[in-house]
Amino acid sequence: MSIAMPQPETAPIVACTVSRDVQNFDLLIEDMETTLGEAWGDLGFVEALAFFGQPEAEALEFIALAMDQEDEDNLVLMTEVITQAKARKIKVILIAEDVTPASLHSLLRQGADEFIPYPLPEGELQLAIQRIQTPPEPEKIETNTPALRAGSSKEGAVIVVHGIAGGTGATTLATNLAWELATLGKKGETAPTVCLLDLDLQFGSVSTYLDLARREAVYEMISDTENMDDETFGQSLLTFNEKLHVLTAPADMLPLDLITPEDISRVIEMARSHFDYVVVDMPSTLVQWTETVLHAAHIYFATIELDMRSAQNTLRFKRALQSEELPAEKLRYVLNRAPKFTDLSGKGRVKRMAESLEINIEVSLPDGGKPITQGADHGLPLAASAPKNPLRREIAKLAASIHETKSEQAKAA
């Protein structure tokens, strides 16, 4: 007499990699095993389309669609994979290596939920899985979204801030300059309208400095600027203290060349038509649309410090612009953490640096110390967190000077 032993149930497959050959993505295999154990499988592009129609596919939570430059010829097939997955409410994590921005943009617009570059950053796949498994909180668009008047015909001044090196205070200057402009004017006077655009699509931190949420509406707007209208643009903005309108960086890190010069031009022109001032916080990296912003700018601030890296980067920046016959003379250099008035040795170094680089340092900002970082961490402009700080005072003077010049030019016209 024999007794049949119960067989252990096989764990359901909750995820699949979909690729031409998963062996080309060994780091993906390791991360899938680490995160899911044996609860995942592997499919080719055509196999995935066939599998989606089978009962076993009902347990799928997501697919990891992996591609490299050789797969760009199969873009139509991969688009169909994404479309069929989304139709069955299966999440899609797109993993790409050496893929052109145009192809990446096309696949993201088809509905991919997450994008991760390959080789995979440490722990990024697990974080992406956690994000797609967490139900998104519904956005309350109406609570903090400005209503823009259709057909507005302002011609706002474009003020750009570009950090020539990391940590030179570009975002601090852009954020606080925008706030100072938005709060100008005496009692009874109408303050200028100001829009702050964070165009650092990867590490933009304006939202942190003003304690604003990053929203999916930003990506939706910049990925389809051809169909952007006043309402779409307005819904991508947030307001800070009912005075400053802000376009934050997208919620997820995106390639800087995902958007085109035409996209950037449309966004800036839309902002100009609704606001007196458009302040732009640029990424430190030069991208294909840097030229677009440079030509659109009325003032282009380049922030530097009194150190070798700033000097070297300034020289490279000037050469890059001149090699493309771009107007390098448009740059207005801002020295952050400038020497104090009594520091004669430091002032001498500043003079020698300017002479050796053949530039004019037109704005000098003092070192504001720890209150600058503390204010940013609390999501407050310096006017609220440290109103008497010397850096805040200089930025306020700069804002007043810009507004006065603009007002005089308007009267002269």
Side-chain angles (χ1 to χ4, degrees), residues 83-99:
T83 301
Q84 293 296 328
K86 300 301 292 183
R88 291 164 173 78
K89 298 183 179 180
I90 300 171
K91 301 288 187 179
V92 179
I93 298 176
L94 181 61
I95 297 166
E97 180 181 23
D98 297 331
V99 176

Side-chain angles (χ1 to χ4, degrees), residues 9-74:
E9 294 185 6
T10 304
I13 300 298
V14 298
C16 279
T17 56
V18 179
S19 63
R20 185 182 73 259
D21 183 357
V22 74
Q23 297 301 323
N24 295 332
F25 301 91
D26 53 341
L27 294 178
L28 175 59
I29 296 174
E30 293 178 10
D31 283 7
M32 291 289 283
E33 290 178 346
T34 300
T35 306
L36 300 174
E38 297 181 357
W40 68 283
D42 173 56
L43 297 167
F45 299 128
V46 176
E47 291 174 327
L49 293 175
F51 182 73
F52 289 154
Q54 299 180 14
E56 293 85 350
E58 295 179 2
L60 276 186
E61 296 179 7
F62 71 91
I63 61 171
L65 181 60
M67 63 178 294
D68 57 26
Q69 58 186 351
E70 292 186 29
D71 296 313
E72 292 194 69
D73 293 335
N74 290 326

Side-chain angles (χ1 to χ4, degrees), residues 261-292:
E262 291 76 19
D263 292 325
I264 292 296
S265 181
R266 293 186 191 109
V267 171
I268 291 177
E269 286 306 310
M270 177 65 76
R272 288 192 66 204
S273 70
H274 287 283
F275 298 94
D276 297 311
Y277 294 99
V278 179
V279 180
V280 180
D281 188 17
M282 290 287 283
S284 295
T285 308
L286 286 177
V287 289
Q288 58 178 337
W289 40 266
T290 300
E291 177 181 354
T292 304

Side-chain angles (χ1 to χ4, degrees), residues 287-309:
V287 289
Q288 58 178 337
W289 40 266
T290 300
E291 177 181 354
T292 304
V293 179
L294 182 60
H295 284 301
H298 295 88
I299 305 174
Y300 201 107
F301 289 124
T303 59
I304 59 175
E305 290 192 356
L306 189 58
D307 55 23
M308 186 59 70
R309 68 195 180 108

Side-chain angles (χ1 to χ4, degrees), residues 275-351:
F275 298 94
D276 297 311
Y277 294 99
V278 179
V279 180
V280 180
D281 188 17
M282 290 287 283
S284 295
T285 308
L286 286 177
V287 289
Q288 58 178 337
W289 40 266
T290 300
E291 177 181 354
T292 304
V293 179
L294 182 60
H295 284 301
H298 295 88
I299 305 174
Y300 201 107
F301 289 124
T303 59
I304 59 175
E305 290 192 356
L306 189 58
D307 55 23
M308 186 59 70
R309 68 195 180 108
S310 290
Q312 292 175 339
N313 286 358
T314 298
L315 195 57
R316 295 190 188 103
F317 193 46
K318 283 182 58 183
R319 286 175 178 170
L321 296 183
Q322 291 166 351
S323 66
E324 297 295 327
E325 297 183 353
L326 297 177
E329 65 277 2
K330 249 190 171 184
L331 302 181
R332 299 291 179 264
Y333 291 94
V334 178
L335 179 63
N336 190 32
R337 299 185 180 91
K340 296 181 179 180
F341 180 75
T342 54
D343 186 358
L344 299 181
S345 173
K347 294 177 73 173
R349 289 174 57 205
V350 172
K351 183 179 179 181

